[in-house]
């Protein structure tokens, strides 16, 4: 299963960006989708996740500013980021896990998309 992420870029503090991540391949079902980020010299941290039933979870640092959503028909997960801060600068990675058509498990990562917030 392959993931294609898009939507990163350079934005001023207070601005907004929307990330997208589309999954393709031998997909039977998707259980969970999420976004993680990694700033230079730091570990990769959870930003937000969403289950197949639409339950969401957010890092405390992004609550109230970021919204995760998914389009099951398109196997796509989105991250709407508002009120961006310089500390949100990082490479953002999408993650999708589920079941393949031959009933194996998959856990795939996107290639990463850079988000840079200037002060």
């Amino acid at each position: 299963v392959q993931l294609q992420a898009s939507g990163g870029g350079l934005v001023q503090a207070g601005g907004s960006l929307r990330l997208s991540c589309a999954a393709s391949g031998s997909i039977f079902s998707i259980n969970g989708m999420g976004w993680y980020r990694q700033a230079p010299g730091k570990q990769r941290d959870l930003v937000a996740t969403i289950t197949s039933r639409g339950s969401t979870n957010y890092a405390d640092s992004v609550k109230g500013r970021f919204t995760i959503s998914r389009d099951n028909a398109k196997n796509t997960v989105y991250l709407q980021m508002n009120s961006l801060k310089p500390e949100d600068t990082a490479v953002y990675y999408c993650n999708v896990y589920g079941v393949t058509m031959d009933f194996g498990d998959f856990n795939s990562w996107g290639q990463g998309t850079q988000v840079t917030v200037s002060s």
Side-chain angles (χ1 to χ4, degrees), residues 2 7 9 33 37 47 52 54 57 66 70 74 86-87 90 109-110 112:
Q2 299 78 40
M33 311 177 90
R37 67 186 181 186
V47 175
S52 58
N57 180 52
F66 291 10
R70 60 189 284 173
K74 296 181 179 180
E87 51 263 45
W109 289 88

Side-chain angles (χ1 to χ4, degrees), residues 25-44:
S26 180
I27 300 171
F28 176 74
S29 65
I30 292 176
N31 297 333
M33 311 177 90
W35 290 94
Y36 295 74
R37 67 186 181 186
Q38 187 168 18
K42 295 187 176 181
Q43 66 181 18
R44 187 175 299 185

Side-chain angles (χ1 to χ4, degrees), residues 44-65:
R44 187 175 299 185
D45 292 327
L46 179 148
V47 175
T49 60
I50 185 168
T51 69
S52 58
R53 295 185 178 184
S55 296
T56 58
N57 180 52
Y58 295 92
D60 288 342
S61 60
V62 307
K63 284 181 180 177
R65 300 188 298 122

